[in-house]
Amino acid sequence: MRDIDNLCLNCFKELTEGAVCAECGFDNDEPNDSMYLARKTVLADKYIIGAVISHESDAVTYSAYDIQLDRAITVREFYPKGIANRLEGATDIRIRQKYTDACEKYKNSFVKLWTTMAKMHSLSASVPVYDVFEGNNTVYAVIEHMECISLHDYLLRNENNNIAWDNARLMFMPVLTTLEALHNNGIIHGSISPDSLVLCRDGKVRLSPFCIQEACDVTSALEFAPQEGYAALEQYDNHHKIGPATDIYAFSACIYRSLVGTNPPSAEERETNDKIMIPNSIAETIPMHVIKAIGGGMQIYPEKRTKNISDFRERLDAAPSVQAQAAVSTDYTKHQEYDDQQNKKSRAIIIVLVILIMAAIGAGIWLVQFSGLIDTQQTTTTAPVLKSYEVPNFVGTGYTKSDIENNGAWNQQFTFTFNSDYSTDVEEGVIFKQSVAAGETVEAGTEIVLTVSKGIQTVEVPDVSNKTLEEATQELEALGFKVSSVEVYNDGGHSPNTIKSTYGSAPAAGEVVAVGEEVILQVYGEVQTTQPDDSED
């Protein structure tokens, strides 16, 4: 085993010129911030922690060293931003009390993500993961260290900052297999961009370590910084569901960036001006089926976007099933000059044929109407037949109001009315009640009332200090709180049965908490007096 004291704790190359590494320029005398693990901390008796590489929404990434395998590695520590901390000198992660339940869910997602990645080591675009374990009140994933550069940096090294489709195809297509495997296991990447796609020394493009799905939209309790141009609309607006189409949007944007040489506009901008232009000189070099595939993958609304990786792969490959389609929806405008004369000839032929057909139809109508073969006065009335439809399950599947409004088939079958109410179990924006039960068969146009969750009802705890217990209890219960009390010592300076003047309630006055939570009041007891000792004169 190599002597760790002589290794740079950032790149783990030999130190030859003192504390500053000659290879990477890292100053080994500068300690990690106290909120992170100290350098040379040993995990699981075999992993030595080095420098902090980054801290994303759900985890901090360290350079590290495997003393058993004698090689550099990367360790990812579950450390959710904004809801966890570490006391100076401690190794255990501490979770803020109000986020305990949510953090347990995030932690389980972290374990699922990295244990799934460990099973996918054979896939070409997967970063090899070979250990996931618990410790220090958190979870760690051990990832193979790979020398690589980001797609962003790679493109900047190319003339015009772009590459040809033939090169891009070899880079991107293998990644789709890994993405498809992730989706099949219920995992959404959520942060694909030219910075998270990396080119490794072995020539493969891989997905760099990424965050759990719960950390990939702006409404998350975790800190999320969307990458403009690559984050899909649903990551800004929770009226749309995050799913496989979210990754397809970002991946399509990466292909666009690679072929065109510039970043696409942000999803928020495109919602008001949904046009992406490809310069004519570049459009001429891109196969039309690729332009259409990117267009389908970058539809602004996820309901209209290419839904799964299999379909997206077919469109990029121009598979026969795709070529047979009569039309493919696309929002791209390709600036090309076509053979105007040839087009004019074709249009002229079509116009002549249409005129001849219309003339023949007109003659036929005249012949039928005026030859006496049909009585034009007779009319036939057919009684309308009302269709029936089975009501889907709109509850428990995560549907939002937008999902229903954007589903054309459902809106042809039923009439929807929406209302909203608070729910302690269902997140804001999600449907949790329907007026007609799922599975029931109803006539077309039947009204179905859907109730959308307003989330947990919250209210600010009022300041009840110095009030009597009865007054404070009435005020808090009127707001929906449960109230309990504890008696505290009264030195004679306070009225008995009144609320303590400072820190009189928990949660404290001014805190915003869920309706129905318990508020504990500290109440002054009776003044305690000391009886004189009768034995003394």
Side-chain angles (χ1 to χ4, degrees):
M1 184 184 76
R2 300 162 74 190
D3 183 2
I4 295 297
D5 291 333
N6 290 328
L7 297 181
C8 170
L9 292 174
N10 182 56
C11 68
F12 290 95
K13 301 289 179 62
E14 295 285 345
L15 289 174
T16 58
E17 299 178 5
V20 178
C21 179
E23 291 285 338
C24 67
F26 182 74
D27 186 351
N28 286 268
D29 282 341
E30 287 292 324
N32 287 346
D33 189 288
S34 61
M35 68 184 292
Y36 303 119
L37 289 173
R39 291 181 202 154
K40 298 186 180 180
T41 298
V42 179
L43 300 177
D45 297 325
K46 55 182 175 180
Y47 307 124
I48 297 179
I49 292 296
V52 174
I53 298 174
S54 61
H55 191 176
E56 291 84 22
S57 301
D58 69 336
V60 57
T61 304
Y62 301 91
S63 295
Y65 199 81
D66 187 328
I67 57 178
Q68 291 186 355
L69 298 179
D70 198 22
R71 66 181 182 185
I73 55 172
T74 299
V75 169
R76 196 159 172 87
E77 177 185 51
F78 176 66
Y79 195 153
K81 264 189 177 182
I83 67 177
N85 57 54
R86 175 180 272 126
L87 298 179
E88 186 172 357
T91 55
D92 281 5
I93 293 286
R94 294 163 54 91
I95 306 300
R96 293 171 60 189
Q97 185 66 36
K98 65 183 291 187
Y99 293 109
T100 301
D101 292 340
C103 195
E104 190 63 27
K105 177 184 176 183
Y106 300 153
K107 184 177 177 181
N108 291 337
S109 294
F110 186 89
V111 172
K112 179 183 177 181
L113 168 61
W114 293 107
T115 52
T116 300
M117 293 297 290
K119 297 173 185 175
M120 294 167 53
H121 63 276
S122 61
L123 296 176
S124 65
S126 175
V127 177
V129 177
Y130 56 87
D131 198 3
V132 179
F133 63 94
E134 294 193 27
N136 301 331
N137 196 35
T138 187
V139 183
Y140 297 91
V142 179
I143 304 166
E144 183 175 322
H145 171 72
M146 305 196 75
E147 294 186 10
C148 55
I149 64 168
S150 68
L151 174 64
H152 173 268
D153 290 341
Y154 171 78
L155 292 172
L156 291 180
R157 297 180 182 183
N158 285 267
E159 187 177 0
N160 299 322
N161 300 327
N162 68 342
I163 55 177
W165 166 243
D166 288 343
N167 294 335
R169 185 181 184 282
L170 295 175
M171 293 168 55
F172 287 116
M173 295 305 287
V175 181
L176 292 178
T177 302
T178 301
L179 265 182
E180 188 171 29
L182 284 172
H183 294 171
N184 290 340
N185 282 277
I187 293 174
I188 306 301
H189 189 294
S191 53
I192 296 173
S193 72
D195 290 322
S196 65
L197 291 173
V198 295
L199 282 73
C200 303
R201 280 189 177 273
D202 59 7
K204 296 177 181 178
V205 176
R206 287 183 166 87
L207 297 166
S208 65
F210 53 98
C211 300
I212 58 175
Q213 181 179 333
E214 291 89 341
C216 293
D217 71 86
V218 295
T219 64
S220 172
L222 302 170
E223 296 181 12
F224 171 64
Q227 181 125 353
E228 291 195 2
Y230 303 92
L233 184 67
E234 56 268 29
Q235 295 177 273
Y236 296 93
D237 180 357
N238 65 357
H239 291 298
H240 302 274
K241 289 175 62 177
I242 289 178
T246 305
D247 285 343
I248 291 174
Y249 183 95
F251 197 78
S252 300
C254 287
I255 298 176
Y256 173 94
R257 165 66 184 87
S258 300
L259 300 180
V260 177
T262 58
N263 292 324
S266 74
E268 289 184 307
E269 292 177 18
R270 292 186 57 217
E271 192 175 20
T272 56
N273 182 21
D274 191 12
K275 293 292 181 184
I276 298 182
M277 310 298 286
I278 301 179
N280 179 50
S281 58
I282 295 176
E284 290 176 344
T285 67
I286 305 174
M288 181 56 70
H289 70 270
V290 174
I291 292 179
K292 290 180 177 180
I294 296 172
M298 290 190 70
Q299 286 288 322
I300 189 65
Y301 295 111
E303 299 84 2
K304 299 180 180 180
R305 205 177 299 149
T306 305
K307 294 294 190 297
N308 57 67
I309 295 295
S310 178
D311 289 348
F312 184 64
R313 182 190 290 111
E314 281 193 349
R315 285 168 168 75
L316 279 178
D317 266 344
S321 61
V322 176
Q323 294 176 357
Q325 293 179 357
V328 178
S329 174
T330 178
D331 293 305
Y332 285 79
T333 301
K334 186 175 182 180
H335 298 290
Q336 287 183 299
E337 292 183 359
Y338 296 96
D339 189 340
D340 292 336
Q341 292 181 354
Q342 195 67 32
N343 286 341
K344 288 178 181 178
K345 289 179 182 178
S346 299
R347 285 196 294 270
I349 293 171
I350 292 172
I351 291 170
V352 171
L353 288 174
V354 169
I355 291 172
L356 291 174
I357 291 170
M358 291 179 66
I361 292 173
I365 293 172
W366 182 89
L367 180 63
V368 170
Q369 286 185 333
F370 296 99
S371 63
L373 294 177
I374 293 179
D375 183 1
T376 57
Q377 300 302 313
Q378 183 179 355
T379 59
T380 302
T381 303
T382 303
V385 178
L386 293 177
K387 293 184 179 180
S388 297
Y389 298 98
E390 182 177 321
V391 177
N393 182 12
F394 299 111
V395 177
T397 49
Y399 287 125
T400 65
K401 180 180 178 182
S402 177
D403 293 334
I404 307 302
E405 290 176 333
N406 289 318
N407 190 302
W410 286 342
N411 282 276
Q412 289 178 1
Q413 296 167 2
F414 313 105
T415 300
F416 293 105
T417 302
F418 298 91
N419 58 30
S420 57
D421 200 357
Y422 291 105
S423 170
T424 57
D425 303 316
V426 180
E427 64 180 306
E428 184 179 358
V430 175
I431 294 167
F432 70 103
K433 288 181 185 177
Q434 60 187 84
S435 61
V436 182
E440 188 173 333
T441 300
V442 298
E443 290 184 348
T446 296
E447 181 183 31
I448 300 176
V449 181
L450 301 177
T451 304
V452 182
S453 172
K454 293 165 66 175
I456 298 174
Q457 184 177 8
T458 59
V459 67
E460 183 177 308
V461 177
D463 184 1
V464 294
S465 60
N466 299 319
K467 293 186 178 182
T468 66
L469 176 59
E470 183 180 0
E471 291 171 341
T473 300
Q474 288 179 351
E475 183 174 351
L476 291 167
E477 287 182 344
L479 294 173
F481 293 113
K482 299 174 184 177
V483 180
S484 63
S485 63
V486 295
E487 187 174 294
V488 296
Y489 173 72
N490 188 348
D491 61 3
H494 308 279
S495 300
N497 203 40
T498 59
I499 310 302
K500 191 179 176 186
S501 56
T502 57
Y503 305 108
S505 68
E511 282 194 40
V512 177
V513 298
V515 170
E517 281 199 20
E518 181 182 31
V519 176
I520 303 172
L521 299 176
Q522 297 192 62
V523 185
Y524 289 116
E526 296 293 334
V527 177
Q528 296 182 7
T529 59
T530 303
Q531 297 296 328
D533 191 343
D534 294 336
S535 63
E536 295 182 1
D537 294 329

